[in-house]
Amino acid sequence: EVQLVESGGGLVQPGGSLRLSCAASGFIFDDYAMHWVRQGPGKGLEWVSGITWNSGTKGYADSVKGRFTISRDNAKNSLYLQMNSLRTEDTGLYYCAKVGPSFGSDAFDIWGQGTMVTVSS
Amino acid sequence: QSALTQPASVSGSPGQSITISCTGTSSDVGGYNFVSWYQQHPGKAPKLMIYEVSNRPSGASNRFSGSKSGNTASLTISGLQPEDEADYYCSSYTSITTFYVFGTGTKVTVL
């Protein structure tokens, strides 16, 4: 079964840091680009960051550029998001998403269940 | 990069057809055939319904179809059913960030 499982969310004070992880299984992880998408409480989806299969290209939304860093470890079938200088507006459910249906697609065909990040004093 | 524009809500009766629009610019929707659509039920992760404007992935109902004209993409749900009541989001590749942008989201209500 193709599956993505996020972890690492929690409560953090403004200015703090968190590292999110996404464990992938059921597919050849290093064939696919991977992304992080977030959803604020009661709000819509927001693309946060993406990374190509070989980490050759990384991209960030303007709202997180310079504060967040995406990375992956293909040997561990894992995706990461290092979040620094967190702000209250970063609060939300963070989803890990796989590009698909094929590795050349530009859609997200598999999503994790999300991990909640709350930035509050 | 601003979000793509979708109507806040669309409603229809069971059996009817509804269409949700997604308006962008020539830098995203209008410039590339990389529009996708997602269904999200409350408390659940999004589900891919349409990719590359009009392709359906395995597992998506054939009552869902997609199209595009100029800078506006559309999702049509035919034969509306109660389980179609959900939030729907479009997404497109954008040359501004060279990655992706989502739409503002549309709440579909089955009357």
Side-chain angles (χ1 to χ4, degrees), chain A residues 2-74:
Chain A
V2 177
Q3 195 172 14
L4 298 172
V5 179
E6 302 94 337
S7 60
L11 174 64
V12 62
Q13 292 187 339
S17 298
L18 276 178
R19 188 193 195 211
L20 305 185
S21 299
C22 171
S25 60
F27 65 98
I28 302 173
F29 182 70
D30 51 11
D31 272 356
Y32 295 89
M34 298 291 296
H35 295 259
W36 289 98
V37 177
R38 70 184 179 185
Q39 188 167 34
K43 296 186 178 180
L45 301 174
E46 180 188 13
W47 178 80
V48 173
S49 183
I51 185 169
T52 51
W53 67 275
N54 62 352
S55 303
T57 300
K58 303 174 185 180
Y60 302 92
D62 287 345
S63 57
V64 307
K65 200 172 294 182
R67 301 187 299 121
F68 289 11
T69 302
I70 191 171
S71 62
R72 64 190 294 164
D73 185 336
N74 288 344

Side-chain angles (χ1 to χ4, degrees), chain A residues 35 37 39 43-47 49-52 57-62 65 95 99-102 104-114, chain B residues 1 3 33-36 38 40 43-48 50-52 56-58 87 89 91-93 96-105:
Chain A
H35 295 259
V37 177
Q39 188 167 34
K43 296 186 178 180
L45 301 174
E46 180 188 13
W47 178 80
S49 183
I51 185 169
T52 51
T57 300
K58 303 174 185 180
Y60 302 92
D62 287 345
K65 200 172 294 182
Y95 292 104
V99 161
S102 69
S105 296
D106 280 273
F108 310 121
D109 69 332
I110 302 296
W111 298 65
Q113 83 290 349
Chain B
Q1 173 68 50
N33 288 325
F34 294 139
V35 177
S36 51
Y38 303 87
Q40 186 180 34
K44 300 294 186 180
K47 176 185 177 182
L48 177 65
I50 295 288
Y51 68 100
E52 291 167 10
R56 257 189 325 273
S58 61
D87 292 326
Y89 295 90
S91 176
S92 173
Y93 170 84
I96 295 177
T97 62
T98 69
F99 276 92
Y100 301 96
V101 60
F102 280 95
T104 50

